[in-house]
């Protein structure tokens, strides 16, 4: 499930050192004037071989490239490998996957490993029309399990 009660996970959103403080998992910073700028959520941080980048930055780079009709950036938790950052994309006509990879390398030259790119005909949607990230993660895990099974 996407959410489990704290008793089941052993984790709590409250600071164990001071239970009066709630830890929402948001990432942000205060500027000189004291204004809070929220950049994203802790669980939206992608780890590319030790380099950490907010998913929103990767999404922005793909958007600026103009190569996709739609896309989603997500972490997919794999049993033995931890979380793997991936991009699910519906490409514009005539665009090939290596062009998206090249755009990402241009935007993030410090990322040495290629980003896992999943090409799709359409992204799964919720009734609200938002991308169904949980459903997408399930599809990815199923696809990877089939590929691993075929390789054996």
């Amino acid at each position: 499930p996407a959410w489990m009660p704290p008793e089941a996970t052993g984790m709590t959103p409250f600071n164990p050192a001071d239970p009066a403080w709630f830890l929402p998992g948001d990432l942000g910073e205060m500027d000189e004037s004291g204004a809070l700028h929220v950049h994203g959520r802790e669980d939206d941080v992608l780890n590319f071989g030790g380099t950490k980048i907010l998913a929103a930055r990767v999404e922005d780079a793909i958007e600026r490239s103009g190569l996709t009709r739609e896309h989603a950036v997500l972490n997919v938790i794999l049993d033995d490998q931890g979380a793997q950052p991936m991009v699910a994309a519906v490409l514009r006509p005539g665009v090939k996957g290596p062009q998206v990879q090249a755009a990402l390398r241009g935007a993030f030259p410090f990322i040495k490993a290629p980003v896992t790119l999943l090409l799709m005909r359409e992204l799964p949607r919720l009734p609200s029309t938002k991308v169904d990230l949980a459903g997408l993660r399930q599809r990815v895990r199923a696809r990877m399990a089939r590929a691993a099974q075929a390789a054996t």
Side-chain angles (χ1 to χ4, degrees):
W3 180 86
M4 294 178 67
E7 307 81 56
T9 63
M11 297 173 67
T12 176
F14 292 94
N15 183 342
D18 185 354
W21 283 91
F22 179 74
L23 303 172
D26 294 319
L27 299 174
E29 63 184 326
M30 300 275 262
D31 66 17
E32 304 81 39
S33 68
L36 175 65
H37 300 272
V38 177
H39 299 295
R41 297 201 35 82
E42 191 173 37
D43 54 1
D44 286 337
V45 174
L46 307 173
N47 186 344
F48 293 95
T51 301
K52 294 178 175 44
I53 303 173
L54 281 171
R57 287 192 58 208
V58 177
E59 287 180 1
D60 288 344
I62 296 169
E63 187 70 32
R64 283 191 311 272
S65 77
L67 298 170
T68 66
R69 282 195 299 120
E70 60 180 348
H71 56 270
V73 178
L74 64 157
N75 270 322
V76 177
I77 297 177
L78 305 173
D79 293 336
D80 58 343
Q81 301 168 8
Q84 183 174 347
M86 299 185 178
V87 174
V90 178
L91 301 180
R92 293 192 182 280
V95 173
K96 304 290 183 206
Q99 291 171 272
V100 177
Q101 291 283 9
L104 288 170
R105 276 194 307 278
F108 305 104
F110 47 85
I111 296 176
K112 300 304 178 204
V115 176
T116 301
L117 182 62
L118 305 163
L119 303 180
M120 306 185 78
R121 287 188 179 92
E122 64 181 18
L123 299 182
R125 301 255 173 211
L126 298 168
S128 66
T129 72
K130 288 183 177 181
V131 174
D132 180 1
L133 293 177
L136 188 52
R137 284 184 184 96
Q138 287 176 338
R139 283 188 189 184
V140 169
R141 281 193 289 270
R143 186 186 286 187
M144 294 183 84
R146 285 192 305 272
Q149 195 172 40
T152 57

